[in-house]
Amino acid sequence: MPVLLFLIDTSASMNQRSHLGTSYLDIAKGAVETFLKLRSRDPASRGDRYMLVSFEEAPAGIKAGWKDSHATFMTELRNLQAVGLTSIGQSLRTAFDLLNLNRLVSGIDNYGQGRNPFFLEPAIVVAITDGSKLTSSSGVQDELHLPLTTPLPGSELTKEPFRWDQRLFSLVLRIPGHASPDPEPIGGVPLDPSPITPMCEVTGGRSYSVFSQRMLNQCLESLVQKIQSGVVINFEKTGPDPPPTEDGPIEMKYGPQSWHSCHKMIYVRPNPKTGVPVGHWPIPESFWPDQNSPTLPPRAAHPQVKFSCVDSEPMVVDKVPFDKYELEPSPLTQYILARKSPHTCWQVFVCNSAKYGELGQPFGYVKASTALNCVNLFVMPYNYPVVLPLLDDLITVHKFKPPAKWRQSFENYLKTVPPYYITALRKALRMMGAPNLLADNMECGLSYSVVSYLKKLSQQAKIEADRVCASVGKKAALEGGIKLRCRSAALSLAHRKDFTQLLNSIMGDGPALPMEANTKEFAGFQLAALNKAFKPQGLRNPYDIPRSHLLDQLSRMRRNLLHASICILKGQDQDQLHSIPIAQMGNYQDFLKHCPSPLREADPDQPKRLHTFGNPFKLDKKAMMVDEADEFVTGTQGKGKRPGESSSPAGGGAPKRRRCMSPLLRLGRAYTPPKTPPRNPDNDETELGNHINNHLESYRNSDKEPSPALESELIQQRNLLQLDEVEKQENRVQENGQSSDSEFSLGSEGEEEAPHRYPSPCQLKKIRNQESQELNSELRVLITKEIRKPGRRYEKIFYLLKQIQGSLETRLIFLQSIIKEAARFKKRVLIEQLENFLEEIHLRANSMNHLDGF
């Protein structure tokens, strides 16, 4: 996620106008907007983070920081005004401190543990200035100096204020006030001679001297191409120059050359799958860690990597990880590619990284690619010429079962390796398949005092980061003074016809000016109050109100006079207080930042509400998830309803009748029958039927199997009660003078009338079929729930299968559907048991048919 920080010069000299008719500050604002449009063409720009810093003193100079939105960035950019000094040194320090706020908290710098190129937070600082003299409150400076003191904790661990993944580019506006008759030069954009140019080159960036709008657009397109993920490294030659090769350049140059020392970047490509760079080996520190040292020596922002021009064989062992980084085009890469030797490499070192020896041991090599189109830096284990043959023997010869001699050689190698390499080496061995070669209790090289010091710095840095983020956008309160208003509506002195006379009078060459033309009186002047407790009057002078606003002002004054008991004077109408621009109406996130923290929910079981602007009744869908097996129970009864709204119709009629959930579906819950009105003799048999049903349901809900005799007796009693109920309904209908066939006839129209005392056999058969279908449907739901449960306890499933009612064909169809459901959840053991159960049913049916044949 690249960070793009724009440092805009807001000194008074940015008000000068170019021949285009716009001020330098307007050109700078337009350049930022053009840069954002060009950057938005790249799909990788979705993860960009934008910050804005001006030349004001901190924290007022930080206009948009880490936690500010893109809308805040654009608003602050448009509101910039050029009124200050050219304090570019202090502003650069503020910008770098803002970028380094979270580095100690996240541990990205990894102090004392080696430099990991894949731990980076790439940042580009784009400074737009006019290249004028560096002015500050102490005077005019000829050179750029950054303040050494900073409130950022841990800044003493790095010598420079920037880091190796932060680069500075400057656009120095040199657009003249008058159009030049000469044609623009065609070619590259030259460097600017301003004091900011050396600072850009130190960080790995550059400056652009802009003389026209076309050149500015060219620079912006070049800057967009500079947004790369990588770190800057100093490459320096050690030892003699290489001998000429057969295919390479023949001429020999003596003395220092441009490729001997290069200050360039290596590209750290992110993983295409995760979007995050991945690596294994660090670049060593320039010191050997001392267990007894209470502090860490400060490191340079860019590591000094020495390369030896002695040709070596590139070494790569299968299964041993390595890191590969491409070098930015430079004189060094041009020289290596011109030699046309892709099968040789040059080893790289970091001075003082080993325990003994100034140059140290090689940690990798630079090598031209096979196609000779780029140069790559290969980062290997420290002192790789020794460890790679050992690991090769471990894999190919010893088959990960090393003998004592190999272990002795490996222990001797570990004594020459910096201790912070142990962690990376342990991970590599685990990837290779040999996790037990290194003990887990090996030290990483830092003393206890250093570890405690780094933890303390991390805590302090987090506090400082929170403080800075909270202070962004808050301006320091100015001391109260008495404002003087200019009552004259005359033009500026520069627009007056007698401007020359006025200028001569100021210089002392003419008569004195009258009081109304005194140049010392200007708008915005304030008189300082000697008494700090004195507060100047906030009311406006009635004579300062324009004639066209008198009626509106009178209505406001009348309102304040009539509501004097409230002790709040309102200078605006009520509707004006809530009038905001359309562009800010949807900015709900900024509104939430200024709101107090909400109270906790009274009922934590309620679903959490989302912060949805304009729709406070929307619920979090994740908290309303329903199991698929229960959908037919809950359905969509509450869909589209607000929490406090009842589901009854608006007409005020009787509520819609819901189908009661069967007690068989509520396993583990005690069934409580609904409350009934006072006892009626006609309902005695109904209560008895409910009592029998409760007994049956309690047995079915329990884990124990009821005795067959008891269950058959209960079922017989329930059937008799149902038959009596049917008879009572027929008698009740006949007493009212209605035909019972129209309502209770279950047979065909041609059937004879059933007796009044008992239902016909056809009616009884259909009643029993309907009961068995309802029971089977309830059993299907219960069995489906049991199949979905994890584990292999299927006793309850087979107990429920024994309760199936109906003919043999109905039972076989039911069992086949249960087998399909078990196959959907891949319950292989259950499928085998169900198939055996199905075979038993077939055998039983065949034996019964065989007996019936006799």
Side-chain angles (χ1 to χ4, degrees):
M1 182 183 291
V3 180
L4 304 175
L5 190 147
F6 293 93
L7 179 61
I8 308 298
D9 187 354
T10 54
S11 61
S13 59
M14 291 289 287
N15 286 320
Q16 59 180 313
R17 295 188 177 273
S18 65
H19 69 274
L20 303 174
T22 54
S23 66
Y24 275 14
L25 184 60
D26 294 334
I27 294 175
K29 295 178 181 179
V32 174
E33 293 181 355
T34 305
F35 181 90
L36 298 183
K37 291 178 182 178
L38 294 174
R39 175 60 179 164
S40 62
R41 298 174 184 173
D42 189 357
S45 63
R46 297 177 181 177
D48 292 351
R49 185 187 296 273
Y50 297 100
M51 300 183 185
L52 182 64
V53 177
S54 68
F55 276 19
E56 300 178 45
E57 292 186 3
I62 304 175
K63 302 300 182 181
W66 287 99
K67 296 184 178 180
D68 294 299
S69 62
H70 184 70
T72 304
F73 172 87
M74 297 303 298
T75 303
E76 294 293 338
L77 177 66
R78 298 188 186 101
N79 294 337
L80 288 179
Q81 295 181 357
V83 293
L85 301 175
T86 315
S87 55
I88 191 169
Q90 179 64 45
S91 302
L92 272 176
R93 184 75 200 207
T94 302
F96 286 127
D97 287 350
L98 179 62
L99 292 175
N100 299 331
L101 270 180
N102 299 319
R103 296 182 76 94
L104 264 179
V105 180
S106 62
I108 195 173
D109 287 322
N110 207 28
Y111 286 107
Q113 300 290 310
R115 301 170 183 259
N116 295 311
F118 45 90
F119 286 170
L120 79 165
E121 194 173 57
I124 288 183
V125 181
V126 181
I128 305 179
T129 178
D130 59 350
S132 59
K133 291 290 184 179
L134 307 180
T135 58
S136 63
S137 57
S138 59
V140 180
Q141 301 172 356
D142 296 330
E143 295 181 355
L144 177 62
H145 295 285
L146 271 67
L148 298 178
T149 58
T150 174
L152 186 64
S155 57
E156 67 276 5
L157 296 176
T158 307
K159 297 178 182 178
E160 295 87 357
F162 51 86
R163 302 295 183 265
W164 65 340
D165 52 359
Q166 300 168 0
R167 292 178 294 163
L168 172 65
F169 296 89
S170 64
L171 300 174
V172 184
L173 303 178
R174 302 288 186 183
I175 303 175
H178 299 279
S180 175
D182 300 332
E184 294 183 11
I186 300 175
V189 182
L191 297 175
D192 193 81
S194 59
I196 198 175
T197 300
M199 187 68 188
C200 295
E201 294 176 351
V202 167
T203 61
R206 61 157 295 180
S207 65
Y208 299 90
S209 189
V210 180
F211 291 95
S212 64
Q213 184 67 36
R214 181 196 64 82
M215 197 175 290
L216 178 61
N217 294 335
Q218 183 180 350
C219 296
L220 293 175
E221 291 179 358
S222 174
L223 277 177
V224 171
Q225 302 298 325
K226 299 286 185 183
I227 303 176
Q228 299 285 346
S229 177
V231 294
V232 180
I233 294 178
N234 283 326
F235 289 96
E236 294 184 1
K237 182 184 74 70
T238 180
D241 289 351
T245 59
E246 296 178 0
D247 299 331
I250 301 176
E251 69 273 13
M252 294 288 295
K253 295 181 181 180
Y254 298 96
Q257 300 177 29
S258 59
W259 63 272
H260 287 177
S261 178
C262 287
H263 189 71
K264 291 296 179 180
M265 188 174 69
I266 61 171
Y267 300 123
V268 183
R269 308 293 186 190
N271 189 354
K273 294 182 180 180
T274 60
V276 179
V278 178
H280 304 89
W281 307 105
I283 295 176
E285 300 277 1
S286 59
F287 61 90
W288 181 268
D290 187 5
Q291 289 282 347
N292 300 322
S293 176
T295 58
L296 285 174
R299 64 159 59 153
H302 301 148
Q304 301 286 336
V305 174
K306 304 279 188 179
F307 61 91
S308 174
C309 298
V310 179
D311 290 342
S312 303
E313 286 290 333
M315 299 179 64
V316 174
V317 176
D318 192 19
K319 294 186 179 181
V320 178
F322 63 89
D323 300 329
K324 180 182 177 182
Y325 306 105
E326 181 185 347
L327 271 68
E328 185 183 10
S330 64
L332 175 60
T333 60
Q334 294 175 5
Y335 184 82
I336 294 176
L337 293 175
R339 298 182 73 245
K340 297 181 180 179
S341 56
H343 302 294
T344 60
C345 64
W346 291 350
Q347 293 180 346
V348 289
F349 308 83
V350 172
C351 291
N352 302 318
S353 60
K355 194 171 185 178
Y356 305 104
E358 182 180 356
L359 187 60
Q361 302 296 335
F363 68 91
Y365 52 82
V366 289
K367 173 186 170 297
S369 63
T370 308
L372 294 177
N373 55 3
C374 65
V375 178
N376 297 316
L377 169 66
F378 288 82
V379 180
M380 313 290 289
Y382 192 78
N383 199 4
Y384 72 93
V386 175
V387 69
L388 288 186
L390 286 174
L391 296 178
D392 191 17
D393 292 343
L394 177 67
I395 298 172
T396 59
V397 179
H398 305 300
K399 306 297 182 183
F400 296 103
K401 295 181 180 179
K405 185 178 180 181
W406 187 93
R407 289 183 178 274
Q408 184 63 35
S409 302
F410 189 67
E411 290 177 2
N412 293 335
Y413 160 75
L414 293 177
K415 294 177 182 178
T416 64
V417 175
Y420 48 80
Y421 267 88
I422 299 298
T423 303
L425 195 58
R426 183 182 290 113
K427 290 181 181 178
L429 291 173
R430 189 181 298 116
M431 293 172 60
M432 292 166 50
N436 299 323
L437 287 179
L438 290 177
D440 294 336
N441 57 356
M442 294 188 69
E443 298 292 337
C444 294
L446 294 181
S447 61
Y448 176 76
S449 58
V450 171
V451 173
S452 302
Y453 175 65
L454 291 177
K455 288 183 179 179
K456 182 180 178 182
L457 285 180
S458 176
Q459 296 173 358
Q460 294 176 357
K462 191 175 187 316
I463 296 173
E464 179 66 16
D466 295 340
R467 186 192 67 81
V468 171
C469 292
S471 64
V472 170
K474 294 183 180 179
K475 298 181 180 180
L478 300 175
E479 293 185 2
I482 303 174
K483 294 183 179 180
L484 300 183
R485 301 180 182 275
C486 182
R487 297 184 183 180
S488 63
L491 296 174
S492 172
L493 296 178
H495 293 83
R496 292 177 55 165
K497 295 181 180 179
D498 55 348
F499 177 70
T500 307
Q501 269 184 338
L502 297 174
L503 190 61
N504 291 333
S505 64
I506 294 173
M507 300 295 293
D509 299 336
L513 291 174
M515 289 298 295
E516 62 270 10
N518 192 352
T519 57
K520 294 182 180 179
E521 295 183 3
F522 54 90
F525 190 77
Q526 289 188 357
L527 292 178
L530 294 178
N531 186 7
K532 300 298 181 182
F534 171 75
K535 294 184 179 180
Q537 185 71 19
L539 300 178
R540 298 180 62 183
N541 191 340
Y543 295 97
D544 292 338
I545 301 172
R547 184 184 182 90
S548 59
H549 297 166
L550 278 176
L551 293 178
D552 292 339
Q553 189 64 30
L554 280 174
S555 62
R556 296 190 192 103
M557 293 170 64
R558 185 184 301 110
R559 188 184 305 112
N560 290 332
L561 180 64
L562 295 177
H563 297 83
S565 60
I566 305 177
C567 299
I568 297 177
L569 298 179
K570 298 180 181 179
Q572 291 180 322
D573 294 333
Q574 195 69 19
D575 56 345
Q576 292 180 354
L577 293 175
H578 301 282
S579 298
I580 59 174
I582 295 177
Q584 300 179 10
M585 285 185 178
N587 196 359
Y588 188 59
Q589 297 299 326
D590 289 347
F591 169 76
L592 286 179
K593 291 180 181 177
H594 302 289
C595 289
S597 57
L599 299 175
R600 64 176 178 84
E601 291 289 340
D603 187 5
D605 297 334
Q606 289 291 330
K608 188 178 180 181
R609 296 195 179 277
L610 299 172
H611 290 290
T612 51
F613 180 66
N615 187 5
F617 298 103
K618 188 173 181 180
L619 296 176
D620 190 0
K621 294 182 179 179
K622 295 180 181 179
M624 299 291 291
M625 307 238 354
V626 181
D627 190 8
E628 293 179 358
D630 297 336
E631 282 184 355
F632 75 98
V633 178
T634 58
T636 55
Q637 295 162 359
K639 189 174 182 181
K641 299 288 184 181
R642 294 182 179 178
E645 190 174 352
S646 64
S647 58
S648 60
K656 190 174 181 180
R657 186 176 181 181
R658 291 176 55 189
R659 185 179 174 219
C660 184
M661 189 191 304
S662 173
L664 284 175
L665 298 179
R666 295 182 287 190
L667 288 175
R669 299 183 187 177
Y671 174 68
T672 56
K675 295 182 179 180
T676 56
R679 186 173 178 178
N680 193 347
D682 296 336
N683 296 333
D684 290 340
E685 294 180 1
T686 304
E687 292 179 2
L688 182 57
N690 290 337
H691 183 67
I692 295 172
N693 284 334
N694 291 341
H695 275 287
L696 275 173
E697 288 155 4
S698 62
Y699 276 115
R700 286 171 181 168
N701 292 338
S702 63
D703 294 335
K704 299 181 180 179
E705 295 189 6
S707 62
L710 178 61
E711 186 176 8
S712 59
E713 182 181 354
L714 291 173
I715 292 174
Q716 186 177 2
Q717 292 179 8
R718 186 180 65 177
N719 292 338
L720 291 175
L721 286 172
Q722 287 177 349
L723 293 175
D724 293 341
E725 184 68 23
V726 171
E727 179 190 353
K728 282 188 177 183
Q729 289 178 356
E730 290 179 354
N731 294 335
R732 196 178 297 115
V733 170
Q734 287 179 359
E735 288 176 1
N736 294 334
Q738 297 177 358
S739 174
S740 62
D741 292 339
S742 62
E743 198 168 344
F744 295 100
S745 177
L746 300 176
S748 60
E749 294 180 358
E751 283 185 7
E752 295 181 358
E753 248 189 45
H756 298 291
R757 181 67 180 167
Y758 298 104
S760 65
C762 186
Q763 287 178 340
L764 184 59
K765 182 179 180 181
K766 290 197 174 184
I767 290 173
R768 290 178 177 175
N769 288 340
Q770 186 178 0
E771 289 179 358
S772 63
Q773 288 178 3
E774 291 180 359
L775 181 62
N776 289 347
S777 62
E778 293 173 357
L779 289 173
R780 185 189 302 275
V781 173
L782 288 174
I783 294 172
T784 304
K785 282 188 177 182
E786 292 295 326
I787 291 175
R788 293 183 180 183
K789 290 182 180 179
R792 296 187 177 182
R793 300 184 61 182
Y794 305 132
E795 295 84 1
K796 199 163 190 178
I797 295 176
F798 289 97
Y799 168 69
L800 294 173
L801 286 175
K802 294 177 182 178
Q803 311 300 324
I804 301 173
Q805 294 186 6
S807 62
L808 176 64
E809 184 179 0
T810 303
R811 296 182 182 184
L812 294 178
I813 294 174
F814 187 92
L815 194 55
Q816 289 290 348
S817 65
I818 296 300
I819 293 175
K820 289 181 181 179
E821 185 71 17
R824 194 163 69 92
F825 289 93
K826 298 181 180 180
K827 302 272 189 173
R828 299 175 183 175
V829 179
L830 178 60
I831 293 172
E832 293 179 1
Q833 296 180 9
L834 290 173
E835 290 176 350
N836 295 334
F837 187 70
L838 185 62
E839 290 179 3
E840 289 181 5
I841 294 177
H842 278 292
L843 291 175
R844 245 184 247 166
N846 292 335
S847 62
M848 292 296 294
N849 293 335
H850 182 68
L851 291 174
D852 291 340
F854 287 104

